[in-house]
Amino acid sequence: MPPTFPLDLKPYFAAGLRTDRENSINEPGLTNCLNLKPYTDGLRPIANLANPFSINFPPQDVEFPFPQVFKGKEGMFLLDKTTIYSVDEGFDITALLTYDANNLGAELAIVAGGAWHFIDMQNAWIFFNGNSIVFKDNLTFWGEQKIKVVNNISIATGCEFRGRLVTGGFLPGAVWKGVWKSIFDDYRDEIPAEFADLVFSVKENFVIWSTIGQSDMAFRWLLFPAEAQAGYTASSGFTGTETVIGPTEFADYPPTPSAHTIDNTLLAQMIQRNEFGIQPMPVSGRPLNIKAIGGEVSGIKGATIVYGEEGITALIPHNIEGNPTFGVRHLLNVGIAGRGAVSGDDYSHVFVDTTGCVWKLSSELEIVPLGYEEYFEGSTDWIVTHTASSREQEFFICNGEKGFTLTEQGLGQRSQLITSTISQAGKKYAVDINTAESEFFIETDSFDNKLSGIKVIKQIEISTNNATNILVAVKYKYAEAQEYEQTNWYPLNERGVATIIIAGTEFRVIIKQIDNTKNNKFKEGIVSWQTLDKRAVRGPDISSA
């Protein structure tokens, strides 16, 4: 009787989904890994996160990627395509009225767009969806704090980094209007020559950062140009007296004679101090998402990362003669798949590029390709979210049809499709859609045990905490060019063993459990096999031993 050899399946379980469809035979990895996620100890079950908004937005009514939930320093918000809700600690929601930022006496509807981006500034905040800007400022000293909307200025994304706002995703004609060209024409003699060339020709690949502690040039002055001359009293949101003071519309430029003189306006002061910046990125295309990394939590210097249509760029804090500004470091010549295709925190970001490749960026700006193109290519609708704890970090990458969980170890597929996540009182929550696929399903990549001849699989043993309702089968073929055939399904016995006798040259093991409420972990597996054909053995030359 020929000897029996073991093939260890634990490396296949720990690897999760294969990183490349062109992986060589016998390289550990899975072609299917449904509702399980890889860790060093094997495959763990994916537990669905609770959705506290399922009554208001039943999963069958969710139009991915909406709604999305955000938790700020002083409040929680739920945003649908055209509605913003406040959320209390019990997850009850209240629709908020939105007003025209240039006429606070008139309501103004949000224009539907893409995935929402959020800038949190304690008692002020901004949301962008690519078509509308929704914000609350802190200019109201008494009376109602109105939620303001701007639809005629195009700022698609932004973030806060070390007290500055950094924004981008401009449509130049809808952000750099004639009024700004007129303003800078007045300052032509005061602007350094190298700066003057930029401000007259803002393009779609530009970003703007504000002075520290202000939103000025990166946000407010783009919406309210008169503020650059007359200060906040020029804003329609200012309530320092019981009536609105100063010019309130773009058409009111130049400002009233009572405004600052040209030598002493806010804009003149900022130019003289060289505190804000207007900077083109080193690649073409609009920034789709701008996110901070490093800094407050990690203690690492950090940077602002500009994820664009055509490339990824880091804006790194830098001092020139004592003046804080940003240096530019180009990181990658390929852009992200869409405005929702990146997420992360102070320590790391994960993003999907336009080819479907998943990447990880560390707070030290080390960028690593993870692969997985076969699962993510062909879609621009990916939404990346994440959840972190002191012990582990997981990213969720989903669109309206399929979803995945990325752990530090690898990738697994999930049936819960997540639009957004938050943490409340130590518990994680999500807004989601659930597909009908509730079973566990595992399929290994191909193996031939480094022997091209015919082998026979004799049995499969799976180490799991509950073997109930677990079925095992084998895919097999006799030639590389052939399609795989599959055996019948065989149940594991109480010892976790299934006897399957099948011959072939290449194999895949498939495992499923219809009842996934058992929360099974798949720790190890052994495939017992024998050889029938010794004409072609790959490996060490035993004759030289």
Side-chain angles (χ1 to χ4, degrees):
M1 178 180 292
T4 299
F5 302 96
L7 173 69
D8 187 2
L9 292 181
K10 184 176 181 178
Y12 289 79
F13 293 166
L17 289 170
R18 64 187 181 186
T19 59
D20 192 329
R21 61 166 61 89
E22 302 300 327
N23 281 355
S24 60
I25 194 167
N26 300 311
E27 185 169 345
L30 306 175
T31 60
N32 277 290
C33 181
L34 181 60
N35 289 320
L36 294 158
K37 56 189 178 183
Y39 276 82
T40 54
D41 59 350
L43 291 170
R44 300 180 186 178
I46 291 177
N48 284 351
L49 302 182
N51 182 353
F53 308 107
S54 58
I55 295 177
N56 307 98
F57 293 90
Q60 66 271 18
D61 296 336
V62 171
E63 187 175 345
F64 202 92
F66 306 106
Q68 294 171 269
V69 62
F70 298 88
K71 186 177 181 181
K73 297 181 180 72
E74 290 193 355
M76 195 185 316
F77 305 94
L78 187 71
L79 284 88
D80 202 3
K81 288 189 295 185
T82 59
T83 307
I84 178 171
Y85 303 87
S86 63
V87 182
D88 66 20
E89 291 184 355
F91 297 110
D92 291 325
I93 65 174
T94 303
L96 302 176
L97 295 177
T98 54
Y99 295 87
D100 186 343
N102 289 291
N103 180 10
L104 293 181
E107 294 183 17
L108 183 63
I110 296 169
V111 176
W116 287 101
H117 297 176
F118 179 42
I119 300 179
D120 181 26
M121 299 171 289
Q122 194 78 29
N123 59 347
W125 44 259
I126 310 169
F127 286 100
F128 308 96
N129 70 357
N131 289 329
S132 280
I133 304 168
V134 184
F135 66 100
K136 182 178 81 72
D137 55 35
N138 53 11
L139 296 187
T140 303
F141 300 135
W142 53 75
E144 182 183 2
Q145 291 268 8
K146 291 189 174 181
I147 309 304
K148 303 169 185 177
V149 173
V150 171
N151 294 330
N152 62 337
I153 300 294
S154 180
I155 307 173
T157 186
C159 75
E160 185 272 337
F161 181 78
R162 294 190 176 184
R164 296 183 190 267
L165 289 194
V166 184
T167 59
F170 309 127
L171 289 177
V175 72
W176 205 249
K177 295 176 177 289
V179 59
W180 267 111
K181 295 178 182 178
S182 297
I183 289 174
F184 275 103
D185 192 53
D186 287 344
Y187 287 86
R188 185 182 298 275
D189 293 336
E190 300 187 30
I191 298 174
E194 66 273 15
F195 190 54
D197 290 340
L198 299 179
V199 298
F200 282 104
S201 57
V202 170
K203 300 294 193 302
E204 65 177 7
N205 68 330
F206 276 51
V207 299
I208 300 176
W209 60 83
S210 71
T211 58
I212 296 174
Q214 303 292 328
S215 65
D216 48 52
M217 199 68 222
F219 182 66
R220 288 204 62 89
W221 292 358
L222 297 178
L223 274 55
F224 310 110
E227 286 188 8
Q229 298 287 75
Y232 290 128
T233 58
S235 171
S236 60
F238 180 78
T239 57
T241 69
E242 294 183 3
T243 58
V244 175
I245 299 175
T248 61
E249 305 289 344
F250 295 157
D252 287 329
Y253 182 82
T256 58
S258 61
H260 296 35
T261 66
I262 195 167
D263 295 328
N264 197 36
T265 64
L266 290 176
L267 179 59
Q269 295 172 33
M270 301 307 179
I271 292 172
Q272 291 163 5
R273 291 200 296 262
N274 193 25
E275 291 183 342
F276 66 79
I278 303 175
Q279 177 72 44
M281 294 297 94
V283 292
S284 60
R286 299 174 72 196
L288 297 177
N289 201 315
I290 299 176
K291 297 189 75 66
I293 193 168
E296 294 180 2
V297 177
S298 67
I300 297 172
K301 182 178 180 180
T304 297
I305 311 300
V306 181
Y307 293 94
E309 293 176 319
E310 301 292 339
I312 317 298
T313 303
L315 300 177
I316 303 170
H318 184 61
N319 277 286
I320 299 178
E321 297 179 352
N323 296 316
T325 183
F326 286 106
V328 175
R329 182 191 298 178
H330 186 52
L331 299 178
L332 193 64
N333 276 326
V334 62
I336 60 172
R339 60 182 284 110
V342 58
S343 184
D345 58 17
D346 215 33
Y347 295 95
S348 64
H349 290 179
V350 163
F351 63 93
V352 182
D353 75 16
T354 53
T355 71
C357 182
V358 179
W359 297 74
K360 192 167 188 178
L361 175 70
S362 75
S363 56
E364 296 180 336
L365 304 187
E366 179 185 6
I367 187 168
V368 179
L370 304 181
Y372 304 117
E373 288 90 339
E374 68 177 297
Y375 309 106
F376 299 107
E377 62 191 4
S379 174
T380 61
D381 299 328
W382 296 110
I383 298 295
V384 183
T385 57
H386 77 284
T387 181
S389 70
S390 58
R391 298 179 59 190
E392 61 192 37
Q393 184 180 53
E394 295 181 351
F395 289 85
F396 310 131
I397 309 174
C398 305
N399 61 17
E401 298 179 354
K402 55 185 177 179
F404 299 85
T405 295
L406 179 69
T407 69
E408 295 288 342
Q409 188 72 17
L411 188 72
Q413 190 170 354
R414 62 183 302 124
S415 58
Q416 185 187 34
L417 312 182
I418 292 175
T419 74
S420 50
T421 62
I422 57 166
S423 179
Q424 179 82 336
K427 185 176 180 180
K428 301 176 181 67
Y429 298 90
V431 182
D432 72 309
I433 305 172
N434 261 303
T435 68
E437 298 174 313
S438 60
E439 66 181 9
F440 294 148
F441 192 91
I442 304 166
E443 180 176 340
T444 70
D445 207 350
S446 302
F447 60 88
D448 68 359
N449 303 320
K450 297 184 178 181
L451 176 69
S452 59
I454 297 175
K455 288 83 61 179
V456 176
I457 288 179
K458 307 293 287 187
Q459 73 172 28
I460 297 172
E461 180 177 356
I462 303 297
S463 175
T464 181
N465 51 307
N466 191 318
T468 305
N469 296 326
I470 294 180
L471 304 176
V472 181
V474 174
K475 287 185 175 181
Y476 63 95
K477 61 181 178 180
Y478 289 93
E480 184 176 352
Q482 289 181 342
E483 296 293 324
Y484 276 106
E485 298 183 51
Q486 181 182 320
T487 67
N488 293 328
W489 289 98
Y490 294 85
L492 294 181
N493 63 23
E494 66 277 2
R495 296 183 294 109
V497 175
T499 300
I500 304 176
I501 302 175
I502 188 66
T505 58
E506 294 183 18
F507 305 93
R508 292 180 176 181
V509 173
I510 47 180
I511 306 164
K512 71 176 180 179
Q513 182 176 28
I514 297 174
D515 180 11
N516 68 3
T517 60
K518 302 297 182 182
N519 289 324
N520 267 347
K521 293 181 180 179
F522 293 84
K523 305 169 187 175
E524 296 178 341
I526 298 294
V527 179
S528 298
W529 62 279
Q530 296 175 341
T531 180
L532 297 182
D533 185 345
K534 299 182 180 180
R535 289 174 296 176
V537 177
R538 294 198 301 276
D541 183 359
I542 60 174
S543 65
S544 63

